[in-house]
Short mmCIF file of all heavy atoms in Angstrom, two decimals:
data_model
loop_
_atom_site.label_atom_id
_atom_site.label_comp_id
_atom_site.label_asym_id
_atom_site.label_seq_id
_atom_site.Cartn_x
_atom_site.Cartn_y
_atom_site.Cartn_z
N GLU A 670 -10.40 -98.18 -214.80
CA GLU A 670 -10.30 -97.49 -213.53
C GLU A 670 -11.51 -96.60 -213.29
O GLU A 670 -12.30 -96.34 -214.19
CB GLU A 670 -9.00 -96.68 -213.50
CG GLU A 670 -7.79 -97.60 -213.54
CD GLU A 670 -6.48 -96.83 -213.52
OE1 GLU A 670 -6.04 -96.38 -214.58
OE2 GLU A 670 -5.91 -96.70 -212.44
N SER A 671 -11.62 -96.15 -212.05
CA SER A 671 -12.76 -95.35 -211.63
C SER A 671 -13.02 -94.18 -212.60
O SER A 671 -12.09 -93.48 -212.98
CB SER A 671 -12.48 -94.81 -210.24
OG SER A 671 -13.60 -94.15 -209.76
N SER A 777 -26.37 -110.79 -194.23
CA SER A 777 -25.01 -110.30 -194.44
C SER A 777 -24.86 -109.80 -195.88
O SER A 777 -25.73 -110.04 -196.72
CB SER A 777 -24.02 -111.43 -194.19
OG SER A 777 -24.18 -112.41 -195.20
N ASP A 807 -16.11 -109.44 -199.04
CA ASP A 807 -14.86 -110.02 -198.57
C ASP A 807 -14.44 -111.20 -199.44
O ASP A 807 -15.29 -111.84 -200.06
CB ASP A 807 -15.04 -110.53 -197.14
CG ASP A 807 -14.64 -109.48 -196.14
OD1 ASP A 807 -13.62 -108.82 -196.37
OD2 ASP A 807 -15.35 -109.34 -195.14
N VAL A 808 -13.15 -111.48 -199.44
CA VAL A 808 -12.61 -112.53 -200.30
C VAL A 808 -13.40 -113.84 -200.21
O VAL A 808 -13.77 -114.42 -201.23
CB VAL A 808 -11.14 -112.83 -199.93
CG1 VAL A 808 -10.51 -113.74 -200.96
CG2 VAL A 808 -10.34 -111.56 -199.81
N SER A 809 -13.64 -114.31 -198.99
CA SER A 809 -14.28 -115.63 -198.87
C SER A 809 -15.72 -115.60 -199.38
O SER A 809 -16.22 -116.58 -199.92
CB SER A 809 -14.22 -116.14 -197.43
OG SER A 809 -15.05 -115.41 -196.58
N ILE A 810 -16.39 -114.47 -199.22
CA ILE A 810 -17.77 -114.35 -199.69
C ILE A 810 -17.78 -114.08 -201.20
O ILE A 810 -18.62 -114.59 -201.94
CB ILE A 810 -18.48 -113.19 -198.95
CG1 ILE A 810 -18.29 -113.33 -197.44
CG2 ILE A 810 -19.95 -113.13 -199.32
CD1 ILE A 810 -18.74 -114.65 -196.86
N GLN A 811 -16.80 -113.32 -201.64
CA GLN A 811 -16.69 -113.01 -203.06
C GLN A 811 -16.62 -114.29 -203.89
O GLN A 811 -17.30 -114.42 -204.90
CB GLN A 811 -15.44 -112.16 -203.30
CG GLN A 811 -15.37 -111.59 -204.69
CD GLN A 811 -14.12 -110.74 -204.88
OE1 GLN A 811 -13.00 -111.21 -204.77
NE2 GLN A 811 -14.33 -109.46 -205.15
N SER A 812 -15.82 -115.24 -203.43
CA SER A 812 -15.69 -116.47 -204.23
C SER A 812 -17.00 -117.27 -204.24
O SER A 812 -17.34 -117.87 -205.25
CB SER A 812 -14.51 -117.32 -203.76
OG SER A 812 -14.59 -117.58 -202.39
N GLN A 813 -17.74 -117.21 -203.14
CA GLN A 813 -19.05 -117.89 -203.14
C GLN A 813 -19.97 -117.27 -204.20
O GLN A 813 -20.65 -117.99 -204.95
CB GLN A 813 -19.75 -117.73 -201.78
CG GLN A 813 -19.07 -118.43 -200.62
CD GLN A 813 -19.69 -118.06 -199.27
OE1 GLN A 813 -20.68 -117.33 -199.20
NE2 GLN A 813 -19.11 -118.56 -198.20
N ILE A 815 -19.13 -115.39 -206.85
CA ILE A 815 -18.61 -115.64 -208.20
C ILE A 815 -19.04 -117.03 -208.66
O ILE A 815 -19.52 -117.22 -209.78
CB ILE A 815 -17.07 -115.50 -208.25
CG1 ILE A 815 -16.66 -114.05 -208.06
CG2 ILE A 815 -16.51 -116.04 -209.57
CD1 ILE A 815 -15.16 -113.83 -207.93
N ASN A 816 -18.88 -118.01 -207.79
CA ASN A 816 -19.30 -119.37 -208.14
C ASN A 816 -20.79 -119.43 -208.46
O ASN A 816 -21.21 -120.08 -209.42
CB ASN A 816 -19.01 -120.35 -206.98
CG ASN A 816 -17.55 -120.74 -206.90
OD1 ASN A 816 -16.77 -120.47 -207.83
ND2 ASN A 816 -17.16 -121.36 -205.81
N LYS A 823 -24.34 -120.55 -216.55
CA LYS A 823 -24.28 -121.76 -217.38
C LYS A 823 -25.62 -122.49 -217.38
O LYS A 823 -26.13 -122.87 -218.43
CB LYS A 823 -23.18 -122.70 -216.88
CG LYS A 823 -21.80 -122.19 -217.22
CD LYS A 823 -20.74 -123.29 -217.08
CE LYS A 823 -19.35 -122.67 -217.13
NZ LYS A 823 -18.94 -122.13 -215.81
N SER A 837 -8.67 -109.61 -211.92
CA SER A 837 -8.59 -111.04 -211.63
C SER A 837 -9.99 -111.66 -211.54
O SER A 837 -10.20 -112.81 -211.92
CB SER A 837 -7.75 -111.33 -210.38
OG SER A 837 -8.32 -110.73 -209.26
N VAL A 838 -10.95 -110.87 -211.08
CA VAL A 838 -12.34 -111.34 -211.07
C VAL A 838 -12.86 -111.44 -212.51
O VAL A 838 -13.42 -112.46 -212.93
CB VAL A 838 -13.24 -110.40 -210.24
CG1 VAL A 838 -14.71 -110.74 -210.44
CG2 VAL A 838 -12.87 -110.48 -208.76
N ARG A 840 -11.20 -111.79 -215.24
CA ARG A 840 -10.53 -112.87 -215.95
C ARG A 840 -11.19 -114.21 -215.63
O ARG A 840 -11.33 -115.08 -216.48
CB ARG A 840 -9.07 -112.93 -215.52
CG ARG A 840 -8.34 -114.10 -216.11
CD ARG A 840 -6.91 -114.16 -215.63
NE ARG A 840 -6.12 -114.97 -216.53
CZ ARG A 840 -4.80 -115.02 -216.50
NH1 ARG A 840 -4.12 -114.29 -215.63
NH2 ARG A 840 -4.14 -115.79 -217.34
N HIS A 841 -11.58 -114.34 -214.38
CA HIS A 841 -12.12 -115.63 -213.97
C HIS A 841 -13.46 -115.94 -214.61
O HIS A 841 -13.77 -117.09 -214.89
CB HIS A 841 -12.24 -115.68 -212.45
CG HIS A 841 -12.38 -117.07 -211.95
ND1 HIS A 841 -11.31 -117.93 -211.84
CD2 HIS A 841 -13.47 -117.80 -211.62
CE1 HIS A 841 -11.74 -119.10 -211.44
NE2 HIS A 841 -13.03 -119.05 -211.30
N GLU A 861 -8.31 -114.78 -222.32
CA GLU A 861 -6.97 -115.32 -222.07
C GLU A 861 -5.93 -114.72 -223.00
O GLU A 861 -4.79 -114.49 -222.61
CB GLU A 861 -6.98 -116.85 -222.17
CG GLU A 861 -7.39 -117.51 -220.87
CD GLU A 861 -6.80 -116.83 -219.63
OE1 GLU A 861 -5.58 -116.94 -219.39
OE2 GLU A 861 -7.55 -116.19 -218.88
N LEU A 875 -1.99 -101.69 -216.68
CA LEU A 875 -3.02 -102.13 -215.74
C LEU A 875 -2.68 -103.51 -215.20
O LEU A 875 -2.73 -103.77 -214.01
CB LEU A 875 -4.37 -102.16 -216.48
CG LEU A 875 -5.63 -102.10 -215.64
CD1 LEU A 875 -5.69 -100.83 -214.81
CD2 LEU A 875 -6.85 -102.15 -216.57
N ALA A 878 0.19 -103.53 -212.79
CA ALA A 878 -0.04 -102.83 -211.51
C ALA A 878 -0.75 -103.71 -210.49
O ALA A 878 -0.77 -103.40 -209.31
CB ALA A 878 -0.86 -101.56 -211.75
N ILE A 879 -1.35 -104.81 -210.94
CA ILE A 879 -2.10 -105.64 -210.00
C ILE A 879 -1.16 -106.45 -209.15
O ILE A 879 -0.37 -107.24 -209.66
CB ILE A 879 -3.03 -106.62 -210.75
CG1 ILE A 879 -3.98 -105.85 -211.64
CG2 ILE A 879 -3.79 -107.50 -209.79
CD1 ILE A 879 -4.72 -106.75 -212.60
N PRO A 880 -1.21 -106.25 -207.84
CA PRO A 880 -0.32 -107.04 -206.99
C PRO A 880 -0.85 -108.47 -206.87
O PRO A 880 -2.00 -108.68 -206.49
CB PRO A 880 -0.37 -106.33 -205.64
CG PRO A 880 -1.55 -105.43 -205.68
CD PRO A 880 -2.08 -105.37 -207.07
N ARG A 881 -0.03 -109.43 -207.23
CA ARG A 881 -0.46 -110.83 -207.12
C ARG A 881 0.40 -111.57 -206.11
O ARG A 881 1.60 -111.33 -206.00
CB ARG A 881 -0.35 -111.53 -208.47
CG ARG A 881 -1.46 -111.14 -209.41
CD ARG A 881 -1.57 -112.09 -210.58
NE ARG A 881 -2.24 -111.43 -211.69
CZ ARG A 881 -1.62 -110.64 -212.55
NH1 ARG A 881 -0.34 -110.46 -212.47
NH2 ARG A 881 -2.28 -110.06 -213.51
N VAL A 882 -0.26 -112.46 -205.41
CA VAL A 882 0.44 -113.27 -204.42
C VAL A 882 1.57 -114.03 -205.07
O VAL A 882 1.39 -114.65 -206.12
CB VAL A 882 -0.54 -114.27 -203.76
CG1 VAL A 882 0.21 -115.29 -202.92
CG2 VAL A 882 -1.56 -113.53 -202.91
N GLY A 883 2.75 -113.93 -204.48
CA GLY A 883 3.88 -114.73 -204.94
C GLY A 883 4.61 -114.18 -206.14
O GLY A 883 5.59 -114.76 -206.58
N GLU A 884 4.14 -113.05 -206.71
CA GLU A 884 4.86 -112.49 -207.85
C GLU A 884 5.70 -111.30 -207.42
O GLU A 884 5.35 -110.58 -206.50
CB GLU A 884 3.87 -112.05 -208.94
CG GLU A 884 3.52 -113.17 -209.88
CD GLU A 884 2.50 -112.71 -210.92
OE1 GLU A 884 2.43 -111.51 -211.24
OE2 GLU A 884 1.77 -113.59 -211.40
N LYS A 885 6.79 -111.09 -208.13
CA LYS A 885 7.60 -109.89 -207.89
C LYS A 885 6.79 -108.69 -208.33
O LYS A 885 6.01 -108.75 -209.27
CB LYS A 885 8.89 -109.96 -208.73
CG LYS A 885 9.92 -110.89 -208.13
CD LYS A 885 10.85 -110.14 -207.18
CE LYS A 885 11.57 -111.08 -206.23
NZ LYS A 885 10.74 -111.64 -205.16
N ARG A 886 7.00 -107.57 -207.64
CA ARG A 886 6.19 -106.42 -208.02
C ARG A 886 6.75 -105.73 -209.26
O ARG A 886 7.94 -105.83 -209.57
CB ARG A 886 6.03 -105.46 -206.88
CG ARG A 886 7.30 -104.94 -206.29
CD ARG A 886 6.90 -103.93 -205.22
NE ARG A 886 7.94 -102.95 -205.05
CZ ARG A 886 8.93 -103.09 -204.18
NH1 ARG A 886 9.02 -104.19 -203.45
NH2 ARG A 886 9.84 -102.16 -204.08
N ALA A 887 5.84 -105.04 -209.93
CA ALA A 887 6.20 -104.38 -211.18
C ALA A 887 7.25 -103.30 -210.93
O ALA A 887 7.15 -102.55 -209.97
CB ALA A 887 4.96 -103.75 -211.80
N VAL A 890 6.06 -98.33 -212.69
CA VAL A 890 4.74 -97.94 -212.21
C VAL A 890 4.26 -96.79 -213.08
O VAL A 890 4.99 -95.84 -213.33
CB VAL A 890 4.82 -97.52 -210.73
CG1 VAL A 890 3.52 -96.91 -210.28
CG2 VAL A 890 5.20 -98.70 -209.86
N LEU A 891 3.04 -96.92 -213.55
CA LEU A 891 2.45 -95.89 -214.39
C LEU A 891 2.36 -94.58 -213.61
O LEU A 891 1.87 -94.55 -212.50
CB LEU A 891 1.05 -96.36 -214.79
CG LEU A 891 0.38 -95.71 -215.98
CD1 LEU A 891 1.23 -95.87 -217.22
CD2 LEU A 891 -0.97 -96.36 -216.20
N ALA A 892 2.87 -93.50 -214.19
CA ALA A 892 2.83 -92.21 -213.49
C ALA A 892 1.48 -91.53 -213.71
O ALA A 892 0.74 -91.89 -214.62
CB ALA A 892 3.95 -91.31 -213.99
N GLY A 893 1.19 -90.55 -212.88
CA GLY A 893 0.00 -89.73 -213.07
C GLY A 893 -1.29 -90.47 -212.77
O GLY A 893 -1.29 -91.62 -212.35
N GLU A 894 -2.39 -89.75 -213.00
CA GLU A 894 -3.70 -90.34 -212.74
C GLU A 894 -4.59 -90.15 -213.96
O GLU A 894 -4.23 -89.45 -214.90
CB GLU A 894 -4.33 -89.68 -211.51
CG GLU A 894 -3.57 -90.05 -210.24
CD GLU A 894 -4.14 -89.40 -209.00
OE1 GLU A 894 -5.37 -89.33 -208.88
OE2 GLU A 894 -3.36 -88.97 -208.15
N ARG A 910 0.02 -90.37 -220.02
CA ARG A 910 0.63 -91.34 -219.10
C ARG A 910 1.34 -92.46 -219.85
O ARG A 910 1.96 -93.32 -219.23
CB ARG A 910 -0.45 -91.97 -218.22
CG ARG A 910 -1.27 -90.98 -217.44
CD ARG A 910 -2.46 -91.67 -216.78
NE ARG A 910 -2.09 -92.36 -215.55
CZ ARG A 910 -2.89 -93.23 -214.93
NH1 ARG A 910 -4.07 -93.52 -215.44
NH2 ARG A 910 -2.50 -93.82 -213.82
N GLU B 1311 -10.33 -110.46 -193.24
CA GLU B 1311 -11.57 -110.00 -193.83
C GLU B 1311 -12.22 -108.97 -192.91
O GLU B 1311 -11.85 -108.84 -191.74
CB GLU B 1311 -12.49 -111.19 -194.07
CG GLU B 1311 -11.88 -112.17 -195.07
CD GLU B 1311 -12.79 -113.34 -195.37
OE1 GLU B 1311 -12.77 -114.33 -194.62
OE2 GLU B 1311 -13.51 -113.25 -196.35
N SER B 1312 -13.20 -108.23 -193.43
CA SER B 1312 -13.70 -107.10 -192.65
C SER B 1312 -14.34 -107.58 -191.35
O SER B 1312 -14.94 -108.65 -191.30
CB SER B 1312 -14.67 -106.24 -193.47
OG SER B 1312 -15.77 -107.01 -193.84
N SER B 1426 -7.42 -85.02 -206.39
CA SER B 1426 -7.95 -86.35 -206.65
C SER B 1426 -7.71 -87.24 -205.44
O SER B 1426 -6.95 -86.88 -204.53
CB SER B 1426 -7.24 -86.95 -207.85
OG SER B 1426 -5.90 -87.24 -207.51
N GLY B 1428 -6.00 -89.96 -205.16
CA GLY B 1428 -4.60 -90.34 -205.04
C GLY B 1428 -3.75 -89.21 -204.46
O GLY B 1428 -2.90 -89.43 -203.62
N GLN B 1429 -4.04 -87.99 -204.90
CA GLN B 1429 -3.30 -86.83 -204.41
C GLN B 1429 -3.60 -86.55 -202.95
O GLN B 1429 -2.72 -86.17 -202.19
CB GLN B 1429 -3.67 -85.60 -205.24
CG GLN B 1429 -3.42 -85.83 -206.71
CD GLN B 1429 -2.50 -84.82 -207.29
OE1 GLN B 1429 -2.66 -83.64 -207.07
NE2 GLN B 1429 -1.52 -85.29 -208.02
N ASP B 1456 -7.57 -96.52 -207.46
CA ASP B 1456 -7.38 -97.37 -208.63
C ASP B 1456 -6.07 -98.12 -208.55
O ASP B 1456 -5.12 -97.64 -207.92
CB ASP B 1456 -7.36 -96.49 -209.88
CG ASP B 1456 -8.76 -96.09 -210.28
OD1 ASP B 1456 -9.66 -96.92 -210.15
OD2 ASP B 1456 -8.94 -94.95 -210.72
N VAL B 1457 -6.00 -99.26 -209.25
CA VAL B 1457 -4.78 -100.09 -209.12
C VAL B 1457 -3.51 -99.37 -209.54
O VAL B 1457 -2.47 -99.56 -208.93
CB VAL B 1457 -4.83 -101.45 -209.86
CG1 VAL B 1457 -5.74 -102.40 -209.14
CG2 VAL B 1457 -5.19 -101.30 -211.30
N THR B 1458 -3.58 -98.55 -210.58
CA THR B 1458 -2.34 -97.89 -211.01
C THR B 1458 -1.90 -96.86 -209.96
O THR B 1458 -0.71 -96.66 -209.74
CB THR B 1458 -2.47 -97.22 -212.39
OG1 THR B 1458 -3.53 -96.26 -212.34
CG2 THR B 1458 -2.77 -98.22 -213.48
N VAL B 1459 -2.86 -96.22 -209.31
CA VAL B 1459 -2.54 -95.24 -208.28
C VAL B 1459 -2.14 -95.98 -206.99
O VAL B 1459 -1.23 -95.56 -206.28
CB VAL B 1459 -3.73 -94.29 -208.02
CG1 VAL B 1459 -3.38 -93.26 -206.98
CG2 VAL B 1459 -4.13 -93.61 -209.32
N GLN B 1460 -2.79 -97.09 -206.73
CA GLN B 1460 -2.40 -97.93 -205.59
C GLN B 1460 -0.93 -98.30 -205.68
O GLN B 1460 -0.18 -98.21 -204.70
CB GLN B 1460 -3.25 -99.20 -205.56
CG GLN B 1460 -2.65 -100.30 -204.71
CD GLN B 1460 -3.59 -101.49 -204.51
OE1 GLN B 1460 -4.56 -101.40 -203.79
NE2 GLN B 1460 -3.30 -102.59 -205.16
N GLN B 1462 1.42 -96.69 -207.16
CA GLN B 1462 2.25 -95.51 -206.87
C GLN B 1462 2.37 -95.26 -205.37
O GLN B 1462 3.46 -95.00 -204.86
CB GLN B 1462 1.63 -94.26 -207.51
CG GLN B 1462 1.55 -94.29 -209.03
CD GLN B 1462 0.63 -93.19 -209.57
OE1 GLN B 1462 0.13 -92.36 -208.82
NE2 GLN B 1462 0.40 -93.20 -210.88
N GLU B 1465 4.50 -97.93 -203.66
CA GLU B 1465 5.92 -97.70 -203.97
C GLU B 1465 6.45 -96.54 -203.13
O GLU B 1465 7.58 -96.58 -202.64
CB GLU B 1465 6.11 -97.39 -205.46
CG GLU B 1465 5.97 -98.59 -206.37
CD GLU B 1465 7.05 -99.65 -206.15
OE1 GLU B 1465 8.21 -99.29 -205.92
OE2 GLU B 1465 6.71 -100.85 -206.20
N GLU B 1468 6.95 -97.70 -199.59
CA GLU B 1468 8.12 -98.59 -199.57
C GLU B 1468 9.43 -97.78 -199.67
O GLU B 1468 10.39 -98.03 -198.94
CB GLU B 1468 8.00 -99.61 -200.71
CG GLU B 1468 9.23 -100.44 -201.00
CD GLU B 1468 9.71 -101.27 -199.80
OE1 GLU B 1468 8.93 -101.47 -198.86
OE2 GLU B 1468 10.89 -101.68 -199.82
N LEU B 1485 -4.38 -109.72 -200.23
CA LEU B 1485 -3.24 -110.62 -200.02
C LEU B 1485 -2.11 -110.34 -201.01
O LEU B 1485 -0.94 -110.50 -200.69
CB LEU B 1485 -3.71 -112.07 -200.15
CG LEU B 1485 -4.73 -112.52 -199.12
CD1 LEU B 1485 -5.41 -113.81 -199.55
CD2 LEU B 1485 -4.08 -112.68 -197.75
N GLY B 1486 -2.47 -109.90 -202.21
CA GLY B 1486 -1.46 -109.59 -203.22
C GLY B 1486 -0.57 -108.44 -202.77
O GLY B 1486 0.65 -108.47 -202.93
N VAL B 1487 -1.18 -107.42 -202.20
CA VAL B 1487 -0.43 -106.25 -201.72
C VAL B 1487 0.57 -106.69 -200.65
O VAL B 1487 1.75 -106.33 -200.70
CB VAL B 1487 -1.40 -105.18 -201.15
CG1 VAL B 1487 -0.64 -104.13 -200.35
CG2 VAL B 1487 -2.20 -104.52 -202.28
N SER B 1489 1.78 -109.64 -200.09
CA SER B 1489 2.79 -110.54 -200.65
C SER B 1489 3.92 -109.76 -201.31
O SER B 1489 5.09 -110.14 -201.23
CB SER B 1489 2.13 -111.49 -201.65
OG SER B 1489 3.07 -112.06 -202.50
N GLN B 1490 3.57 -108.63 -201.95
CA GLN B 1490 4.59 -107.90 -202.69
C GLN B 1490 5.34 -106.86 -201.87
O GLN B 1490 6.43 -106.46 -202.23
CB GLN B 1490 3.96 -107.23 -203.91
CG GLN B 1490 3.41 -108.27 -204.87
CD GLN B 1490 3.17 -107.72 -206.25
OE1 GLN B 1490 3.10 -106.52 -206.45
NE2 GLN B 1490 3.05 -108.60 -207.21
N TYR B 1491 4.76 -106.42 -200.78
CA TYR B 1491 5.40 -105.31 -200.06
C TYR B 1491 5.87 -105.63 -198.63
O TYR B 1491 6.69 -104.89 -198.10
CB TYR B 1491 4.48 -104.09 -200.02
CG TYR B 1491 4.38 -103.44 -201.38
CD1 TYR B 1491 3.39 -103.82 -202.29
CD2 TYR B 1491 5.30 -102.48 -201.78
CE1 TYR B 1491 3.32 -103.26 -203.56
CE2 TYR B 1491 5.23 -101.91 -203.04
CZ TYR B 1491 4.24 -102.29 -203.92
OH TYR B 1491 4.17 -101.74 -205.16
N PHE B 1513 3.02 -117.37 -197.75
CA PHE B 1513 2.31 -117.57 -199.01
C PHE B 1513 2.67 -118.88 -199.70
O PHE B 1513 1.87 -119.42 -200.45
CB PHE B 1513 2.51 -116.36 -199.94
CG PHE B 1513 1.78 -115.15 -199.45
CD1 PHE B 1513 2.47 -114.04 -198.97
CD2 PHE B 1513 0.39 -115.12 -199.43
CE1 PHE B 1513 1.79 -112.93 -198.49
CE2 PHE B 1513 -0.30 -114.02 -198.95
CZ PHE B 1513 0.40 -112.92 -198.47
N THR B 1527 -8.88 -119.67 -202.30
CA THR B 1527 -10.16 -119.22 -202.85
C THR B 1527 -10.05 -118.01 -203.78
O THR B 1527 -10.97 -117.74 -204.55
CB THR B 1527 -11.16 -118.92 -201.70
OG1 THR B 1527 -12.48 -118.95 -202.22
CG2 THR B 1527 -10.91 -117.57 -201.07
N ILE B 1528 -8.92 -117.28 -203.74
CA ILE B 1528 -8.86 -116.06 -204.56
C ILE B 1528 -8.85 -116.40 -206.06
O ILE B 1528 -8.20 -117.36 -206.47
CB ILE B 1528 -7.67 -115.13 -204.20
CG1 ILE B 1528 -6.35 -115.89 -204.16
CG2 ILE B 1528 -7.90 -114.44 -202.89
CD1 ILE B 1528 -5.16 -115.02 -203.80
N PRO B 1529 -9.61 -115.63 -206.86
CA PRO B 1529 -9.71 -115.94 -208.29
C PRO B 1529 -8.35 -116.09 -208.97
O PRO B 1529 -8.16 -117.00 -209.77
CB PRO B 1529 -10.47 -114.74 -208.86
CG PRO B 1529 -11.24 -114.19 -207.71
CD PRO B 1529 -10.43 -114.46 -206.49
N ASN B 1532 -6.66 -119.46 -209.24
CA ASN B 1532 -7.38 -120.54 -209.90
C ASN B 1532 -7.44 -120.33 -211.40
O ASN B 1532 -7.52 -119.21 -211.86
CB ASN B 1532 -8.80 -120.61 -209.35
CG ASN B 1532 -8.83 -121.08 -207.91
OD1 ASN B 1532 -8.83 -122.26 -207.63
ND2 ASN B 1532 -8.83 -120.12 -206.98
N PRO B 1533 -7.43 -121.43 -212.16
CA PRO B 1533 -7.58 -121.28 -213.60
C PRO B 1533 -8.93 -120.65 -213.93
O PRO B 1533 -9.89 -120.89 -213.20
CB PRO B 1533 -7.51 -122.71 -214.14
CG PRO B 1533 -7.18 -123.59 -213.00
CD PRO B 1533 -7.36 -122.82 -211.73
N PRO B 1534 -8.98 -119.85 -215.00
CA PRO B 1534 -10.24 -119.19 -215.36
C PRO B 1534 -11.36 -120.22 -215.54
O PRO B 1534 -11.13 -121.31 -216.03
CB PRO B 1534 -9.94 -118.53 -216.70
CG PRO B 1534 -8.46 -118.48 -216.81
CD PRO B 1534 -7.91 -119.54 -215.93
N GLY B 1535 -12.54 -119.82 -215.11
CA GLY B 1535 -13.71 -120.64 -215.39
C GLY B 1535 -13.99 -121.76 -214.41
O GLY B 1535 -15.13 -122.17 -214.28
N VAL B 1536 -12.98 -122.27 -213.72
CA VAL B 1536 -13.27 -123.37 -212.80
C VAL B 1536 -13.97 -122.83 -211.56
O VAL B 1536 -13.86 -121.66 -211.22
CB VAL B 1536 -12.01 -124.15 -212.36
CG1 VAL B 1536 -11.23 -124.64 -213.54
CG2 VAL B 1536 -11.15 -123.32 -211.42
N GLU B 1537 -14.68 -123.73 -210.89
CA GLU B 1537 -15.33 -123.33 -209.65
C GLU B 1537 -14.25 -123.00 -208.62
O GLU B 1537 -13.28 -123.74 -208.47
CB GLU B 1537 -16.21 -124.48 -209.15
CG GLU B 1537 -17.15 -124.04 -208.07
CD GLU B 1537 -18.04 -125.19 -207.58
OE1 GLU B 1537 -18.04 -126.27 -208.21
OE2 GLU B 1537 -18.72 -124.99 -206.57
N LEU B 1538 -14.42 -121.87 -207.93
CA LEU B 1538 -13.43 -121.49 -206.92
C LEU B 1538 -13.62 -122.35 -205.68
O LEU B 1538 -14.75 -122.61 -205.29
CB LEU B 1538 -13.59 -120.01 -206.56
CG LEU B 1538 -13.41 -119.01 -207.71
CD1 LEU B 1538 -13.86 -117.62 -207.28
CD2 LEU B 1538 -11.96 -119.00 -208.16
N ALA B 1540 -14.48 -122.46 -202.62
CA ALA B 1540 -15.07 -121.45 -201.74
C ALA B 1540 -14.98 -121.87 -200.29
O ALA B 1540 -14.89 -123.06 -199.98
CB ALA B 1540 -16.52 -121.20 -202.14
N ILE B 1541 -15.00 -120.89 -199.41
CA ILE B 1541 -15.09 -121.15 -197.98
C ILE B 1541 -16.56 -120.99 -197.63
O ILE B 1541 -17.14 -119.93 -197.88
CB ILE B 1541 -14.25 -120.13 -197.18
CG1 ILE B 1541 -12.80 -120.14 -197.68
CG2 ILE B 1541 -14.32 -120.43 -195.70
CD1 ILE B 1541 -11.93 -119.04 -197.07
N PRO B 1542 -17.21 -122.01 -197.09
CA PRO B 1542 -18.64 -121.87 -196.80
C PRO B 1542 -18.88 -120.90 -195.65
O PRO B 1542 -17.97 -120.60 -194.88
CB PRO B 1542 -19.06 -123.29 -196.41
CG PRO B 1542 -17.81 -123.93 -195.88
CD PRO B 1542 -16.68 -123.31 -196.66
N GLY B 1543 -20.11 -120.42 -195.55
CA GLY B 1543 -20.49 -119.60 -194.40
C GLY B 1543 -19.96 -118.18 -194.46
O GLY B 1543 -19.45 -117.74 -195.48
N THR B 1544 -20.11 -117.47 -193.35
CA THR B 1544 -19.70 -116.07 -193.30
C THR B 1544 -18.84 -115.81 -192.06
O THR B 1544 -18.81 -116.62 -191.14
CB THR B 1544 -20.92 -115.14 -193.23
OG1 THR B 1544 -21.75 -115.56 -192.13
CG2 THR B 1544 -21.74 -115.19 -194.50
N ARG B 1560 -16.63 -123.13 -190.37
CA ARG B 1560 -16.37 -123.02 -191.80
C ARG B 1560 -15.21 -123.90 -192.25
O ARG B 1560 -14.85 -123.91 -193.42
CB ARG B 1560 -16.04 -121.56 -192.14
CG ARG B 1560 -17.04 -120.54 -191.59
CD ARG B 1560 -16.60 -119.12 -191.89
NE ARG B 1560 -16.75 -118.78 -193.29
CZ ARG B 1560 -16.24 -117.71 -193.86
NH1 ARG B 1560 -15.50 -116.87 -193.13
NH2 ARG B 1560 -16.41 -117.47 -195.13
#
Side-chain angles (χ1 to χ4, degrees):
Chain A
E670 295 179 277
S671 186
S777 67
D807 267 319
V808 190
S809 70
I810 310 304
Q811 190 179 62
S812 54
Q813 294 171 4
I815 291 173
N816 283 348
K823 286 196 193 82
S837 61
V838 170
R840 174 182 200 168
H841 198 79
E861 275 319 289
L875 201 60
I879 302 169
R881 285 195 202 83
V882 170
E884 273 178 26
K885 283 269 161 287
R886 57 177 207 270
V890 171
L891 199 58
E894 292 179 40
R910 304 170 79 193
Chain B
E1311 297 182 275
S1312 61
S1426 69
Q1429 304 237 313
D1456 281 322
V1457 287
T1458 58
V1459 182
Q1460 162 171 287
Q1462 297 166 5
E1465 286 295 321
E1468 169 59 18
L1485 297 165
V1487 166
S1489 161
Q1490 297 198 342
Y1491 288 90
F1513 289 111
T1527 200
I1528 51 180
N1532 291 275
V1536 305
E1537 194 180 350
L1538 299 169
I1541 305 173
T1544 53
R1560 310 176 72 193

